[in-house]
Structures are given as C-alpha cells and as structure tokens.
Amino acid sequence: MTALHDGAHGTHGTHRNAAAPVTEREARRVAEAAREQEWRRPSFARELFLGRLRLDLIHPHPEPDGEAVREGEEFLARLREFCATRIDGGLIEREARIPDEVVRGLRELGAFGMKISPRHGGLGLTQLYYNKALALAGSASPAVGALLSAHQSIGVPEPLKRFGTEEQQARYLPRCARGEISAFLLTEPDVGSDPARLATTAVPDPDGESYVLNGTKLWTTNGVIADLLVVMARVPASSGRGGGITAFVVEAGSPGITVEHRNAFMGLRGIENGVTRFENVRVPADQRIGDEGAGLKIALTTLNTGRLSLPAMCAGAGKWCLRIARQWSEARVQWGRPIAKHEAVGGKISFIAATTFALEAVLDLCSQMADEDRRDIRIEAALAKLYGSEMAWRIADELVQIRGGRGFETADSLAARGERGVPAEQLLRDLRINRIFEGSTEIMHLLIAREAVDTHLKVAGDLVDPDATLAAKRQAALAAARFYARWLPGLAAGRGQLPFSYAAFRRRGLPDLAVHLRYAERAARRLARSTFYAMSRWQGGLESRQAFLGRIVDIGAELFAMSAACVRAERMRARTGHGEAAYELADAFCRQAQLRVEARFRDLWHNTDTMDRRITTHVIADEYTWLEEGILDPSTPGPWIAGTTRPAAGPDGARKNVHRPIR
C-alpha cells in the first residue's frame, strides 16, 4: 500500500518525525534524480505521446513460451482448487483477517514464490501467469491478492532480484519462496508522494559494519505479519560519502522494531497493514540493497513491473462484475422484460463487457512485454495501473447501480434473508484504494506526463529552466529548432488518413477494427501537437497545469487501451474460437473510448481550470466558511497528522507490539 512518500530527521533514542522543510525545487530535484534517465529500448507508449502509433512494437502480439504456459496452467489449476475449497472470502471480510491456516496453505502451494526462480526455491512463473494467479486469488478474496502482491511485487523478492548481490539473493530469496512474508516500508506519517522529505535515518557506524535505523513508517501492507522488510531510509551525507535515500533488507524481528498499530480501512479489511517504529535498529551493512543514495531509483524500477499486480486484480474484478451483471440482469424482470433488455441497463452491461475486455488486453500485453524484456514498459505499466484502477472502479459502481438496493446491501444480509450473497458493495470498497496506493491517480498523471514530455525537456530543457544562463538558453534554442524542424512536419499527416491502412485488422464478416487504429493514429498526432502547443504557451509553467497534464495522460491511456484491444482481438481471431466475439468487444470498446477521447480533447482548452484555482484560493483562505454552517462534524478531536513520538509504556513497563509473524 506504500507509494512514494517523504519525511524528516531522526535521532538515536526517542525518535521524532517532523517533516524537513524542502523547497519545491529541491523536491523536484530528488524525484528527477530517481528517474531512469535514458531510453535504451523502444517504448510503444513513449512513441504514442510523441505522435507516432508504432503498432509494430505490439503487433503481432508477443506470445508466451510453451513450457511457461504449461507450468503456469498447472499452477493455476492447483491455485483454483485451493481458492475454491480453502478460502472463505466472507469470513475474511467479517473477521478482518486472513486465517493463519490459509497463509500456511498458500505456503505449501508455493504461492509466495511465484516470481522467484526455481534456483532459489520458487516457481519461476512468468509475469503473465503471476498476474493471472493474482487475479484468481483476488477474486476469492481481495485481501489474499493484496497479501501475495505486496510480498512479491514490491516486497523483498523483486528489488533483490533486480539489485541484490548473489549472496543476498541466496540468503533471502529461498526464505521468501518458502513463505516468509515480506513488506515494503517507504511511506511515513507526514510524507506523501514527495520523497525529498523522507525522515527515517540510517546512520552508519564509524567502523562501516552496520547502520542504525530510526524512524516511523505508515501504511505498511504485510508489516504486521512480516518476517522481512524492505526499508527506505536516509543516510546522512558526510565526509567521503554522499548519503541519500537507501534501501535495506531488515529482519522484522530485530530488536528496536515495534509494530504499534494495525490499521483498519473501509475496504481490504483482511490486510495486515500497520505502523512500524524503528528505534536504534542495527542493520548489518551487507543488508543494504545497492549503493547508498540508490533507494528511490530501486523503488521506482521495482514499481515498473510491480504496478502490474493492481491492474491484474482490476481485470479480475471486471470479470466478476460481468458475470454478476449478466446473471442478475437475466433473472431480474421489470416492466415485463429482463432488465438487460432495457436500454438504460443494457448500456451499462455493454460498458462492463467491453471495458473488461480492454483491461485484460492491456494487462496481458504489458505482462508479455515484461516477460520478453525487449521493450521499455515504464510508461505502459504506469498507464495500466492508472487505467485499470480508474475503470475497474467505474465497472464496480455500475454493477452496484444495476443491482439497485441489493447492490448497496451486504452479502451477509442478502444471504440471511434467503437471497444469493453477492458482495457488490464490498468490491466497490475494496477497489477504491487502487486509485490511491502505489501512486494515486493524481501522482500517476504527473509521473506519466513527466515521461511523456521527456524528449521535449531534453531538447529544450534550458529554455524553461529559470536558472539557466543566457548562453545555455541560446544553445537550447538552436537544438530545439533543429529537433522541431524535423519532428513537427511528421505530425501533419500519417497512416490514419489513408483509407486502406491497417488492413490486417479488417476481416470479412467482422467489425472493422482498422478504422479505430486509423483514429488512434490521428489522435496520437493531435495529442502530440496539443502537448507542443501547451509547452510553447506555458513553457516552464506547464508543470503547474496539472489538470491539463492529467487530460493529456488520460487521452494517451485510452489510445493505448484501444490499440491493445485491437491487437488482442486479432490474436484471438487467429488462435482461438472467440475471434468474432473478440472483434465485437474490441469494436464496442473503441467506440466508447473514442467518445471519452473527444471529450478530453475538448476539455484541454475549454474547461474551468482558472475558475477552479480562484475558488480554491478563496476556500483555503477561509472566505467560504459560511457555506459550512448548519451541520455537525462527527470527526473525533486530534491533529490532522499524528506526531510520531514514542507511545507511553503500559503498567508493566512494556510497549504494545502487535507484530505477529505466522509460523
């Protein structure tokens, strides 16, 4: 549940978090330094934002290895049996806890080592089948899906696989594969998505043999039951070392670590998410992952593929919503007809079906590209997370609406009065967090926008840098002139204007998907022109136009999903017996997406952004408090952000520790 966050200084002994004052420019510099700076491999999404629909980068659809398919399907069969017979999602929801025997069963199944190599005792599943497994487990209980995902997607296994030494991998990966649970600790009480303010410190001993950790971490998914932790902490700069945010593997049972509180949430009630305090925790230097100062880069790189776990469970949720919508809409009769035959409901069912098809298309395409490792998918994975979390929420909301009052009623209440216990309201609550964790929608907009304009910033960076010298600005202007003299003419015309282009997607007797790809190609060029115009108009001020950038990213996400849906439909036509249905779903999705794209293009330049900024200024200046009169506030007293001073000891002198590793 941890996204990129920030904090303050710590000292030995009693720790006090107080967010260090950081200027906007300093915060931006830290975030920029953590980015992967170069593009060494091609990226479909990067090209898309530059106005080029490089369909050759995703079509023909990449195919999984035959042996990987066999192993993946065998594991899915075992997992399906386990989920169907051993996981009671309703019980987990009622008791807000995954039973220990379920965790032990998942260990025996090897589910905690799905992404770990057989060399280290894991199953070695591909990203494709790992995501299929998460979708399956998440359909049985979203809390179980979160448990497995937090452990493997962002916990100890992924950063060690990518950045750990051979000795670290040999020491920890077999433990993770056997089911010792890991968690990722980055967020802090007063640190959101601004890592420059990270407060937890790791002070090196003079002998260089260890570090001493002090700090407090918030929203640590799996932290309550974890055996191993990935902890991000700031190493102070000193003579001979640059310091910076650094990653460590930490034994969760180390002296000085206290899990002070298990958090409770509106959804995902079974997750073991808490507040963890570090007080003079000694961590051997050989448990540092990578170099000092490389922690944020490790975190961001880990999330490039780690983010795919969320769209996996979102796609699974879409499938379940489609099943319930179909069955309920056939059974429920209003005004003499099943409600599915009423257009008001039928439109919602069509949206659920078409969007679920697209979500799986995006997920499978990104997963297979991750497995092939021939493409840079940092933007694609981020788009998959953004789009999946937003659209799955809309799908679940539409299901609740289709179900009517029964959609608002709990599954237990429905069952108690003799009806099928459909947990539609629970799904809505469970899915809501996906729009927040591992990068909120707002943060994902900014992150993707930064990558989308990377080429422009490299070409003309000094032109928009207020600190650049006049000479640097002149040199940047010359470089920009050369680049745009080549690039801009290419945005004037393209394959989207040729009536017979993308002929491979025009099949006799099937809906014409080529027309949608031609639209996507034209829209990509239009998107690039809009971005260029905005940069020319606002220059360095573009970064503060977050609503505009969000719309740019949303358009790109829709175009990516349209492309993925068409490519998937053609693959299914060639390889399965569902080609006609796939073409039909892709056609429906593209038509629906095109309406959303056109609305976003219109909103780029016709919006209330200026008015919204003015109203917000008045609101936060307390000029509209009269509008709040006539109500009572049921909130309990307390600070908006809790301090992190150590809680008082109990009567016996001990401090509460809710850490409970599962043996």
Side-chain angles (χ1 to χ4, degrees), residues 21 47 56 71 79 104 146 157 164 171 179 215 255 302 352 371 408-409 479:
E47 294 291 318
D56 59 296
E71 292 175 354
L79 181 63
R104 297 188 190 103
R171 188 193 319 173
T302 297
I352 292 173
D371 287 330
F408 194 66
E409 191 173 359

Side-chain angles (χ1 to χ4, degrees), residues 6 62 256 297 336 384 426 431 434 436 451 457 512 548 590 598 608 623:
D6 49 41
K297 185 163 289 188
Q426 179 193 334
L431 285 174
N434 292 342
I436 298 172
E451 299 295 351
L457 292 180
D512 184 3
F548 178 90
C590 288
E598 288 301 313
T608 62
E623 296 175 15

